[in-house]
Amino acid sequence: PRDKKELDALEELVRKSAGFNPNRGDQVVVSSMPFNNGSMDGDLEGQSWRDSLVPFLPLIRYAFIVLLGAAVFFFFVRPVIRSLTIMERSGRTEMQAATPLAYDLRGESRPLAIGNQQEQALNDAEIARQLAMADSKKFAEILRNWLK
């Protein structure tokens, strides 16, 4: 509590700084009140561990989303990709085994043309042409699937 002299000094300070005019009906009241210090200690003790996590909820949410995405990738997407690459590799080896090879003077192997007895190297365009001649409907279907 403050004494009367100090309250009068504070009231006069407020009147001067606020531009007090009694003709307008202005009023200034200064009173002394004690602060309640006990309630702040009770609030801090009453907080649970859940209340302390509230500021971190957005970070926890994003971390959960990232972990869920990583789990989906490692347990679903990655095995599918591996199985597809294994199937593609086995398909390539079967195709290479079915294609007769010739050896040039340097000792390097190269595929022979399908249905052609001459030794010549096949590039991608020549293979595509030969496959188109062999079964045009199937080749057109493959091309449509590639373009999709």
Side-chain angles (χ1 to χ4, degrees):
R2 302 195 184 262
D3 58 350
K4 178 72 175 156
K5 184 178 177 184
E6 192 175 356
L7 288 176
D8 290 339
L10 287 171
E11 188 174 329
E12 186 62 31
L13 179 67
V14 169
R15 284 184 183 164
K16 287 181 181 178
S17 38
F20 179 76
N21 187 356
N23 296 337
R24 289 187 300 200
D26 293 345
Q27 294 179 354
V28 174
V29 177
V30 177
S31 61
S32 176
M33 295 177 66
F35 286 106
N36 189 1
N37 292 336
S39 67
M40 292 190 74
D41 293 336
D43 287 343
L44 291 177
E45 291 174 6
Q47 283 186 340
S48 68
W49 62 273
R50 293 181 190 141
D51 295 334
S52 62
L53 283 179
V54 169
F56 301 107
L57 282 179
L59 294 174
I60 293 170
R61 184 178 305 137
Y62 290 127
F64 179 74
I65 291 171
V66 167
L67 288 175
L68 184 66
V72 166
F73 177 76
F74 283 112
F75 292 112
F76 295 109
V77 175
R78 192 171 168 210
V80 169
I81 291 173
R82 278 189 177 173
S83 66
L84 289 176
T85 56
I86 289 171
M87 287 174 43
E88 182 181 332
R89 286 181 189 160
S90 66
R92 282 186 191 168
T93 55
E94 289 173 8
M95 186 175 168
Q96 288 173 352
T99 305
L101 298 176
Y103 293 93
D104 59 7
L105 296 176
R106 290 173 284 189
E108 296 177 359
S109 63
R110 54 188 173 91
L112 288 174
I114 299 172
N116 189 358
Q117 297 299 342
Q118 299 175 357
E119 294 180 9
Q120 59 181 2
L122 295 177
N123 60 20
D124 292 337
E126 291 172 352
I127 292 173
R129 274 190 218 112
Q130 289 181 3
L131 288 174
M133 285 187 206
D135 191 0
S136 60
K137 289 181 183 180
K138 198 172 219 179
F139 184 72
E141 183 180 330
I142 291 171
L143 282 179
R144 274 190 229 110
N145 289 336
W146 285 352
L147 294 176
K148 287 180 184 179

